[in-house]
Amino acid sequence: MSLILDNVSYVYSQGNAYEKKALDGINLKIEDGEFIGIIGHTGSGKSTLIQHLNGLLKATDGKIYFDGEDIYDKDYELRDLRMQVGMVFQYPEHQLFDETVFKDVCFGPRNQGLPEKDVQLRGYEALKNVGLNEKYFDVSPFELSGGQKRRAAIAGVIAMKPRVLILDEPTAGLDPRGKDEILDMIAANHQRYGNTVILVSHSMEDVAKYVDRIIVMDDGKIKYDDEPREVFKYYKELEKIGLAAPQVTYLMNDLRENGYPVSTDVTTVDEAKSAILKLFKIQT
Amino acid sequence: MLREITLGQYYPVDSVIHKMDPRTKLFATVIYILSIFCFRGPIGFVAITAGLIAVIYLSKVPFSFMVRGLKAIVFILVFAGILNLFMTPGRELISIWKFTVTYEGAKSASLMLFRMIYLIIGTSVMTLTTTPNQLTDGLETALKPFAKIKVPVHEIAMMMSIALRFIPILVEETDKIMKAQMARGADFESGGIIKKVKSMVPLLVPLFVSAFRRANDLALAMEARCYHGGEGRTKMIPLHYEHRDKVAYVVVIVYIVLIFILRKFA
Amino acid sequence: MSFIEAKNLVHEYIMRDDEGNVEGVQVALDDMDLNVEKGQFIAVLGHNGSGKSTFAKHLNALLVPSEGTLFVDGMDTRDESKTFDIRQKAGMVFQNPDNQIIASVVQEDVGFGPENIGVESDEIWTRVENSLKAVGMWKYREHSPNKLSGGQKQRVAIAGVMAMEPECIVLDEPTAMLDPDGRKEVLEAIHKLNKEKGVTIILITHYMEEVVDADYVYVMDQGKVVMEGTPTGVFSQVETLKEYRLDVPQITLLAYELKQQGVPLRDGILTREEFVQEMDRICR
């Protein structure tokens, strides 16, 4: 039960002046139930990579296996794959279209060909899971506030119960609280259903706080692929490719350089807190 | 697929054609379009082709770039071609099963294809070598006489230039929404015509919503930058004819005469 | 009189039903007072829907007060004869970089504002050159905006405002749609304009990190100014900020939480350097 990318490459506009290698020999194995963060600056290939995972883009070279099946096999139904690997694009609220929030969320399950009762159950459950108040179910999605629209749009993908959920910058443009609420909701759903979650983000702080494994993309290649504390040890190398470590990681390094015996192996505020408290011998 | 549309794209290189006054280019384009509709005989065809090749060469825009504009309308071309080929009555050329290709049909189909293709390439030369702003400036000046009879020339020109700027953005947006709905299991390909039309709703509604939102934003941004119509506006690049424009006019006039003569003798 | 002076400023959006009857009134700005002096770098913080964007539009006379007054350089925004003078004095940069660039070539877009106010052709070119150089975009002058990154587009938008030679630039969440690189570019550009050209900056945002270097901070909630002060002063009130759906930078949060545990750090630590200094103060 996994997604495997075997030497996947993708070239844009092959054969003309705008030709660009967006992915270059990607090898990757994603197991069931992982919570993965993908980071990389704009143009590093991370958007191209995730669009391969559900077959929206077809690799110019290499193979992708989902549950051991080659998704480029001519008998393989890509639509089925898309039901299993759900994708929440950037600013997903831009895809809302139906008369009511509830109908919109049911669009995905209905396309899956489920019986009407199940479609509605799925829609209801998904809206509940994203924490949208029931009074909004029957209003037009265009009347919701920004944060609510975002939730409704995410519910539209969650309702399909994908085994792998990919989110491309799900918090872009939200205020700090809105951002935390969305990420907490995603983490809670991951806990509840044990599905695989792949989070593409620009915020190192968010990635460090939520994910178990980070994939760093640079120039169409995977630069690092490890747990957060390991990846952020390379903060100097990360800076060279336009990324950074969380602020607290820098702080701990600063403190260390100034002679404080603290661990630099720190990626979240909580970890930093206990590391410094240890210094003062205060137990939490 | 949608990214292939070259309409409204500017190709920035330094060439004689790029530097020409947009009014000159507009005039030449109009003459060219007229010529592809009223030429006669193979020599006329050769003359038009030669003219087109010369201009493309001078423009320094790669030929492949101009042809790309055709890809978007391949379907229309093929459809119209087939229609012409089979639907024109006349002398029989070949007959396959129930369909008959007539001599007249073959002639009108090939003429139609030639006109469409030359039309697209010719106008691509214009848009690829002229920034949309220059283009609309040119139009605005050329149409100025109509402003006297209350035609909102400035507004039309402004709308055109904005439309040209937003075509690529909306094309990209269409692509994005399409992908997003496909990820939710939408199917834009299979099914009969009614199902297909229905399947466009999840694409078209968000697209319209987004277009309106953009229009609203843009109107605000324009107002914030003191836009208040054409009155009292100055031009960053005032239009004036250079020596090369005069030469170009002479060339265009020679072209008109040539096409006219060839038409007479064909 | 201050350069910008808002007194008891009220803005009401009137909601109408399909027939045009008044359905209700939504108060977006509620009795707001705010002063800005020339040359200051002001930040206005607030969650989505706090009224900060509405306020921004008032500064540019895109909206006029329902009640109360707003003066920009001594001009009443309700005075229609002054509208264009105000818009020229206080230029505006919006959130979405795509939706505010009018022309298809960078330099022509920068010239759009001066064209509107009837500047002579030669002078427009000088201004376009100066403004593009001021934001570091001169070498892109002949590019199409569509081929630029988000940060570059926003810098073009800033140049477009600069070309009107304003005394003040209002930026309404200019970085909300950008990646970290773009965010950095835009902030560097506006800080440079503030320092080198003495342009008054009013930055409206919900990114806490962008506020750290401001001279003065206003926090808005429900159309009111609810907190104000220096960044240090405002950020020392972590709990209050959280109530307003906002956040503090990671370093500030860490210091705050350590203090809760009994570590005697001072309030409102904003940067790594300050943090290390404080540690030195209490440990040595």
Side-chain angles (χ1 to χ4, degrees), chain A residues 42 175 177 254 258 260, chain C residues 47-48 179 242 272 280 284:
Chain A
T42 309
D175 59 35
R177 173 90 70 88
D254 286 356
N258 282 276
Y260 295 94
Chain C
H47 62 84
N48 293 340
D179 62 13
K242 283 194 171 165
R272 279 149 53 195
D280 287 348
R284 289 171 191 172

Side-chain angles (χ1 to χ4, degrees), chain B residues 2 25 37 94 98 118 120 130 135 165 180 185 208 246 255:
Chain B
L2 288 162
K25 284 187 265 188
F37 281 99
I94 16 168
K98 276 183 191 165
Y118 271 50
I120 299 283
T130 319
L135 188 63
R165 149 120 177 89
F208 275 110
K246 289 170 198 152
Y255 179 80

Side-chain angles (χ1 to χ4, degrees), chain B residues 224-244:
Chain B
R225 282 163 79 182
C226 293
Y227 181 72
H228 53 279
E231 210 180 310
R233 244 181 141 243
T234 43
K235 289 265 180 250
M236 187 173 172
I237 310 166
L239 298 177
H240 54 89
Y241 287 123
E242 300 274 344
H243 185 64
R244 56 175 164 268

Side-chain angles (χ1 to χ4, degrees), chain B residues 97-110:
Chain B
W97 187 45
K98 276 183 191 165
F99 301 103
T100 314
V101 178
T102 61
Y103 176 74
E104 283 77 11
K107 193 180 160 192
S108 92
S110 51

Side-chain angles (χ1 to χ4, degrees), chain C residues 248-261:
Chain C
V248 289
Q250 256 195 344
I251 303 292
T252 315
L253 181 65
L254 175 64
Y256 171 79
E257 289 193 355
L258 286 169
K259 199 177 168 194
Q260 300 288 87
Q261 298 288 332

Side-chain angles (χ1 to χ4, degrees), chain A residues 206-226:
Chain A
D206 292 344
V207 170
K209 188 167 162 196
Y210 290 97
V211 310
D212 308 319
R213 170 182 170 194
I214 293 179
I215 294 168
V216 182
M217 293 291 296
D218 179 45
D219 199 20
K221 295 190 188 74
I222 292 176
K223 180 109 176 166
Y224 301 107
D225 179 358
D226 214 327

